[in-house]
Amino acid sequence: DAGITQSPRHKVTETGTPVTLRCHQTENHRYMYWYRQDPGHGLRLIHYSYGVKDTDKGEVSDGYSVSRSKTEDFLLTLESATSSQTSVYFCAISESGGSYYGYTFGSGTRLTVV
Amino acid sequence: AQTVTQSQPEMSVQEAETVTLSCTYDTSESNYYLFWYKQPPSRQMILVIRQEAYKQQNATENRFSVNFQKAAKSFSLKISDSQLGDTAMYFCAFMKPYHNNAGNMLTFGGGTRLMVKP
């Protein structure tokens, strides 16, 4: 197995509620990423982490926050979910800063905000 | 910033035939990597093939090959002897190594949905 898991796999939530998605890795990789996938847009970077407590914004970070208190866990939080945040969310990991091998992806979380 | 464009939102091909998916990108970098990922209905992202920009030889992986034209900033994927299991979304992606603290930042195109017909 790839050593990266996302939870939950599916979630339906109401507008205005907070939501936290979890990414857990067993590979001890330094870099972790959160992407969202929307039709026509491919995958777009939300936030990333380059170490414990080291995070930065990606292309579409508004309305999202992240935390990484341990190497293995990277949490994505929607403070107050909106319908525009209905999407499929992917976590990815990478071992080094110049990896020819690209990323290893989790299985994704389908989030529906009603 | 890098951009990746896949101009074919949907394509179809008959089983056993050959199909080519297009991808263009825009960058001022000279050293980078290019990837094709496959996403079947299971939603899993699967690496299909990768290319290093400084290698002129086109990468091949079994039935999958690329046509990498660096000057034209083009990176197309050819699937030979198409199989029903090739039905999936295909994403082209660009990687700039050591992008500040982000490590190896991947930028994706919008995807091409490929249907292989029996």
Side-chain angles (χ1 to χ4, degrees), chain B residues 38-110:
Chain B
K38 171 185 178 181
Q39 186 183 48
S42 68
R43 211 163 69 199
Q44 187 65 43
M45 294 289 286
I46 302 166
L47 179 63
V48 175
I49 200 167
R50 56 190 160 222
Q51 174 82 39
E52 299 170 75
Y54 63 85
K55 287 189 175 180
Q56 296 212 349
Q57 185 175 4
N58 289 325
T60 61
E61 288 286 344
N62 300 313
R63 297 183 295 106
F64 298 87
S65 61
V66 298
N67 184 4
F68 173 48
Q69 302 289 330
K70 190 173 184 179
K73 297 180 183 176
S74 171
F75 184 60
S76 60
L77 175 68
K78 185 172 79 172
I79 306 174
S80 304
D81 186 24
S82 296
Q83 300 176 359
L84 296 178
D86 295 332
T87 292
M89 281 289 289
Y90 287 82
F91 292 100
C92 179
F94 173 101
M95 175 183 288
K96 175 186 174 184
Y98 299 103
H99 178 78
N100 299 324
N101 289 321
N104 43 345
M105 183 87 76
L106 259 182
T107 301
F108 288 87

Side-chain angles (χ1 to χ4, degrees), chain A residues 9-10 31 33 35 37 40 42-43 45 48 50 88 90 94 96-103 105-108 110, chain B residues 33 35 37 39 42-45 47 50-52 91 95 97-99 101-111:
Chain A
R9 184 157 174 81
H10 303 275
Y31 298 94
Y33 308 84
Y35 281 84
Q37 180 182 0
L43 281 74
L45 183 66
Y48 62 93
Y50 48 96
V88 178
F90 283 95
S94 176
S96 69
S99 176
Y100 170 62
Y101 298 98
Y103 295 173
F105 285 88
S107 299
R110 180 175 295 280
Chain B
Y33 304 131
F35 302 85
Y37 281 89
Q39 186 183 48
S42 68
R43 211 163 69 199
Q44 187 65 43
M45 294 289 286
L47 179 63
R50 56 190 160 222
Q51 174 82 39
E52 299 170 75
F91 292 100
M95 175 183 288
Y98 299 103
H99 178 78
N101 289 321
N104 43 345
M105 183 87 76
L106 259 182
T107 301
F108 288 87

Side-chain angles (χ1 to χ4, degrees), chain B residues 4-8 11 19-24 36 74-78 90-92 111-112:
Chain B
V4 180
T5 302
Q6 293 178 249
S7 59
Q8 305 149 315
M11 296 187 71
V19 64
T20 298
L21 280 57
S22 300
C23 173
T24 59
W36 280 97
S74 171
F75 184 60
S76 60
L77 175 68
K78 185 172 79 172
Y90 287 82
F91 292 100
C92 179
T112 296

Side-chain angles (χ1 to χ4, degrees), chain A:
Chain A
D1 204 305
I4 174 172
T5 55
Q6 291 184 234
S7 59
R9 184 157 174 81
H10 303 275
K11 185 171 181 66
V12 179
T13 191
E14 293 187 349
T15 298
T17 60
V19 177
T20 295
L21 309 182
R22 181 178 184 243
C23 178
H24 179 78
Q25 61 148 327
T26 58
E27 304 294 324
N28 201 34
H29 286 352
R30 177 183 176 187
Y31 298 94
M32 299 185 76
Y33 308 84
W34 276 107
Y35 281 84
R36 60 177 289 173
Q37 180 182 0
D38 304 291
H41 292 279
L43 281 74
R44 291 177 294 174
L45 183 66
I46 304 171
H47 280 281
Y48 62 93
S49 171
Y50 48 96
V52 174
K53 292 188 168 60
D54 293 322
T55 65
D56 208 344
K57 297 178 180 179
E59 177 187 0
V60 290
S61 60
D62 287 349
Y64 302 95
S65 63
V66 290
S67 65
R68 192 172 179 196
S69 59
K70 298 184 289 185
T71 298
E72 57 265 37
D73 290 324
F74 192 34
L75 304 180
L76 176 70
T77 298
L78 291 66
E79 301 291 346
S80 177
T82 67
S83 59
S84 65
Q85 294 175 312
T86 292
S87 187
V88 178
Y89 291 86
F90 283 95
C91 178
I93 60 175
S94 176
E95 184 174 13
S96 69
S99 176
Y100 170 62
Y101 298 98
Y103 295 173
T104 300
F105 285 88
S107 299
T109 295
R110 180 175 295 280
L111 177 68
T112 302
V113 183
V114 298

